[in-house]
Amino acid sequence: MPEFDFTRLRRTPDVEAPNLQAWDATDELLVGEALTAGIHGAEIAVIGDEYGAITLALTDAGMPGIRVHQDLVTGRRALARNAAALGITDGADAARRAASERAADEPDGLRVPTYTQGELDESLLTGIRLVLLQLPKSLAELDEIADAIARWADSDAVLIAGGRVKHMTLAQNEVLRRYFGEVQPQRAERKSRLVVARHLRRPDGPPPFPVSSRHSFPSETSTSARVPRAEQVSRAEVEASSESRAEVGRSADGLTLCAYGGAFAGDRIDIGTRVLLGVMSSWAAESVSSRSQARSLNDPGRTVIDLGCGTGALAAAYALAHPASRVIATDRSAAAVRSARATMAANGLGNVEVTLDDAGSAIADGTADLVLLNPPFHLGNAVDEAAGRRLIEAAARLTRPGGEVWTVFNSHLDHRRTLAREVGITEQIVRTSKFTVTQSIKR
């Protein structure tokens, strides 16, 4: 059987660029380990397969039935597109091809799906004997993944995790040792390294996520006073009745923020969001003003979109202050969406719709009166402004004429020019050494 041609894979609908490709050496090493493991595809789970390289290479080698979890919806769509480009249009077709390559007399193979998408839960991992993992960036996400494997995979399951050497740390090994009796790093190859973990330890307590913190906002509007304070919330408080959660969330001085392991910034409020929340609070405090900023943030009954919502801090803060508004929070990360939904529940917010989507692609053009945007400037481990530009373009599409886009971004980025081009007249509202807040009016 010929070797799998990784160069045929694409990142679309994620950003394509000359310095970005849809696979790396880690993918190839993980595929090689799986091919020699002697384990059927139906007993293999793949986690963190960014664009489908691992899943499709194993499928192409005649291993149908693989279960795969990808946090980003862009990765899920890229996997589907790459599968179609390889002639794998659905599970039956892929299984038929794999079965015909193995042996013509294996009719049962025709009914095995090529791969199945799943969330990070029991259905993904029950009966799994081999887990292939592209190591995540955050230790919290690794902690959640390792806990799920130890909790639900087969008792003799083996985890093979890999990453680029420059991004790997000893702390990752320590996280894995909480859940596995043996953690053995392998020799580095082509600037990548694998870590093999065996002898899983079943957790005897509840899952470690979501975590929660309560963030209170002072009434003063000075720049220094706008930074939210955080107080840790116990699991018992998080699991309180919906009535109690509503009382907590609707308190005058703040909100409860929840986070699963893969959510950016966890249950903290990242610095950029803090700055935008402070500006929102400042304008909301001005009950009488002729400026459009105050009008846009105070008018009831508006449709507001938190684009790239993360754990939902902006959406929750706006919805708490404006219960008559319709608020949509959307993100491409499944972990972020789970976190945002938990945040809305913890704050008793029924007027916020949280969706898993790529740059609001499922939302109709011109839906929003106001878009709140804190765009990323990383694509995985790579620094790239293209991710932010994609969300700015989406914000322009989603905003009605005369509507507004409020954006916070790192001050060194040239997003103001992009906002002016894509949305309309853009005014700088606040600028610090690190962050800039702008208001754009949709032309």
Side-chain angles (χ1 to χ4, degrees), residues 285-344:
E286 298 186 21
S287 57
V288 178
S289 175
S290 61
R291 297 190 62 172
S292 60
Q293 293 97 326
R295 186 172 65 252
S296 70
L297 292 175
N298 287 328
D299 283 359
R302 288 181 170 248
T303 296
V304 179
I305 297 176
D306 182 358
L307 187 60
C309 65
T311 54
L314 292 173
Y318 190 93
L320 285 168
H322 307 279
S325 293
R326 177 196 179 199
V327 181
I328 303 171
T330 184
D331 202 289
R332 67 175 185 158
S333 161
V337 166
R338 292 176 70 199
S339 302
R341 287 173 177 162
T343 291
M344 303 314 154

Side-chain angles (χ1 to χ4, degrees), residues 144 207-212 233 235 238-239 258-261 267 338-339 342:
E144 183 175 19
F209 295 92
V211 294
S212 299
V233 180
R235 179 173 295 275
V238 175
E239 296 174 350
C258 303
Y260 284 87
D267 58 342
R338 292 176 70 199
S339 302

Side-chain angles (χ1 to χ4, degrees), residues 406-423:
W406 283 70
T407 310
V408 60
F409 52 88
N410 292 72
S411 293
H412 69 276
L413 300 176
D414 194 26
H415 284 340
R416 184 176 177 180
R417 189 191 307 271
T418 305
L419 285 160
R421 182 180 67 248
E422 298 294 335
V423 183

Side-chain angles (χ1 to χ4, degrees), residues 349-392:
L349 291 168
N351 62 326
V352 181
E353 176 188 359
V354 184
T355 65
L356 177 64
D357 193 11
D358 175 27
S361 65
I363 303 174
D365 294 2
T367 293
D369 300 290
L370 172 65
V371 172
L372 303 173
L373 178 59
N374 179 7
F377 65 97
H378 284 86
L379 286 171
N381 290 307
V383 176
D384 197 305
E385 294 185 29
R389 288 196 296 269
R390 286 188 76 235
L391 286 187
I392 291 172

Side-chain angles (χ1 to χ4, degrees), residues 6 27 30-31 46 48-49 52-59 66 132 134:
F6 289 94
D27 294 320
L30 288 169
V31 168
V46 179
D49 191 4
I54 302 169
T55 303
L56 295 176
L58 295 180
T59 298
I66 292 167
L132 305 175
Q134 268 275 9

